Amino acid sequence: MIIFGIETSCDETAVAILNSDGHIFSNKLISQIDIHKKFGGVVPEIAARSHVEFLPHLVEEAFKEAKISIKDIDAIAATGGPGLIGGVMVGVMYGKTLASCMSKKFIAVNHLEGHALVPRMTENIEYPYLLLLVSGGHCQIVIVEELGKYYIISRTIDDAAGEAFDKVAKLLNIGYPGGPIVEQYAKKGNERAFEFPKPMLKKAEYNFSFSGLKTAVRNQIHKLGEISEEDKADVCASFQYTVSKIINYKILQALKLFGSKFPNSKNIVISGGVAANQYLRNKLGENVKNLGYKLFYPPIDLCTDNAVMIAYAGMERLKAGFRSNLDFEPKSRWNLDEIIY
Ligand code: KG4
Ligand code: ZN
């Protein structure tokens, strides 16, 4: 079977074509970073208009590159939410129209499910597994029991981890999106230069909170006054170190629950844009290895938003006999445990 995937939930316009063996025929993406950069964040209305402009060309290019005709595909998967509603509407309308005109199956994919499942495309990861989903909009620990069955252990009560990286980069005026830039700066800094607070590290507290950490970073930057490149590196390294400590602590908490529910499952997956961070991967990998668990993560280009993950989740659903109705409504909010299956 061949599936065509569309992702438009934020500031990446992306399409992909893949088959049921996970072979990628085409993976196309236009990042709108340069368009939104000057505003210091994504402007929803501009993002939606850009998706309208970019999508038709991207679709044409993808099919040309794949040397596949639209007639040859079995289904179309589009991100149905959660995300910026204007963008989600563009992708869903495009997908539905194509499905309707070409008499193909349509599958509305939950964006988070895309992040959650795509590691299974490149690695042999059996259900159930413990998932740390860390992106610009989300920070949660989830037990992925099987396709469509997700048990959310923890969420963030304020900012997402990626959002915290982006805000620190903004405070330091080093660019957008902040994650990869902070990671580069951190390589040159001293991670023990500043002691930042690690909120919510109380016993039996599963949820995340990053807003206190962000405020502490802001206060430290003000205290430094005129800030050198070396200071910036130290702030980034100390911040990243603190995020890593928080994440590792929360995973250890979650493992107690996961271990009691599924004692024979030893797989942990980190996914979402922040999973591209090599420092965080390495630290988490080492820690869980000591506990007898193995950490998996997708290749970097499948961590950040892309359409392969949407096509892949769509393919898992297609194989399980699932399809969406053409009256599916795009959703700005859509939790993993609200997916009806
Ligand atoms: O998954 P994603 O592309 O979009 C959402 O669904 O949110 O994640 C984007 C987020 C941004 O906040 C970005 O700064 C962060 O992922 N990110 C990183 C890294 N690469 C991207 N954060 C830390 N380290 C990185 N290397
Ligand atoms: Zn995402």
Side-chain angles (χ1 to χ4, degrees):
M1 286 188 292
I2 301 177
I3 194 160
F4 175 58
I6 305 171
E7 158 60 33
T8 55
S9 69
C10 193
D11 60 343
E12 270 96 14
T13 314
V15 298
I17 303 169
L18 53 98
N19 70 9
S20 40
D21 297 329
H23 175 77
I24 302 171
F25 294 104
S26 179
N27 176 17
K28 296 260 163 215
L29 185 146
I30 299 178
S31 166
Q32 301 175 11
I33 284 177
D34 287 341
I35 300 171
H36 300 285
K37 220 177 207 164
K38 53 181 171 290
F39 304 104
V42 181
V43 182
E45 181 59 29
I46 298 176
R49 285 167 192 262
S50 304
H51 290 308
V52 172
E53 188 186 330
F54 299 154
L55 201 50
H57 307 288
L58 217 52
V59 174
E60 207 179 304
E61 276 179 31
F63 279 98
K64 209 185 268 173
E65 184 182 279
K67 298 191 178 69
I68 284 173
S69 155
I70 294 186
K71 285 192 223 114
D72 300 330
I73 60 168
D74 296 280
I76 294 152
T79 299
L84 301 174
I85 193 65
V88 178
M89 282 166 71
V90 173
V92 166
M93 287 311 293
Y94 198 98
K96 281 184 187 178
T97 309
L98 207 57
S100 166
C101 293
M102 303 301 293
S103 304
K104 304 290 177 189
K105 296 185 180 91
F106 172 70
I107 300 170
V109 170
N110 180 299
H111 178 90
L112 304 174
E113 187 174 63
H115 281 302
L117 302 186
V118 76
R120 284 166 46 81
M121 194 182 93
T122 48
E123 303 265 9
N124 185 16
I125 311 166
E126 298 280 328
Y127 294 123
Y129 53 89
L130 188 74
L131 167 76
L132 170 65
L133 205 170
V134 268
S135 69
H138 299 271
C139 184
Q140 26 185 269
I141 301 177
V142 180
I143 300 177
V144 179
E145 296 190 18
E146 58 184 71
L147 174 65
K149 197 161 176 207
Y150 307 102
Y151 180 85
I152 300 175
I153 297 178
S154 51
R155 314 179 135 90
T156 175
I157 59 162
D158 40 55
D159 295 347
E163 208 177 340
F165 271 90
D166 294 337
K167 284 179 178 169
V168 167
K170 199 169 175 181
L171 288 166
L172 290 170
N173 210 5
I174 53 176
Y176 167 85
I181 307 169
V182 169
E183 184 178 10
Q184 288 313 315
Y185 264 91
K187 283 185 184 153
K188 295 172 271 167
N190 170 10
E191 63 185 25
R192 307 308 296 272
F194 306 110
E195 179 92 27
F196 291 133
K198 300 174 193 70
M200 312 286 277
L201 296 202
K202 282 179 268 147
K203 250 189 155 174
E205 175 56 71
Y206 290 110
N207 287 333
F208 294 90
S209 164
F210 289 104
S211 77
L213 173 58
K214 177 191 65 193
T215 307
V217 172
R218 180 190 289 127
N219 293 343
Q220 185 62 57
I221 292 169
H222 284 164
K223 217 152 104 193
L224 286 165
E226 187 105 359
I227 194 161
S228 65
E229 284 296 295
E230 204 182 326
D231 289 334
K232 287 181 186 174
D234 285 347
V235 169
C236 289
S238 303
F239 164 77
Q240 187 176 259
Y241 168 85
T242 310
V243 172
S244 167
K245 286 278 171 205
I246 296 169
I247 284 176
N248 276 285
Y249 181 86
K250 297 295 173 184
I251 286 287
L252 294 191
Q253 294 291 309
L255 274 178
K256 289 180 196 157
L257 192 69
F258 180 62
S260 68
K261 274 181 102 143
F262 299 103
N264 298 323
S265 302
K266 296 294 171 195
N267 295 336
I268 303 181
V269 169
I270 176 169
S271 185
V274 183
N277 187 296
Q278 310 242 2
Y279 175 90
L280 295 179
R281 287 175 172 198
N282 293 343
K283 290 285 176 202
L284 188 60
E286 279 165 30
N287 274 351
V288 299
K289 194 174 163 197
N290 292 335
L291 297 165
Y293 288 87
K294 184 160 186 222
L295 184 71
F296 294 92
Y297 34 78
I300 286 184
D301 62 330
L302 298 185
C303 285
T304 45
D305 286 350
N306 63 86
V308 170
M309 68 182 197
I310 303 306
Y312 179 77
M315 181 57 86
E316 280 215 20
R317 287 189 163 269
L318 187 64
K319 282 179 183 172
F322 176 90
R323 62 192 281 182
S324 304
N325 291 326
L326 286 180
D327 63 0
F328 174 87
E329 288 179 16
K331 301 177 195 329
S332 60
R333 290 173 176 270
W334 192 11
N335 289 330
L336 270 176
D337 54 1
E338 290 166 359
I339 304 173
I340 295 166
Y341 183 63

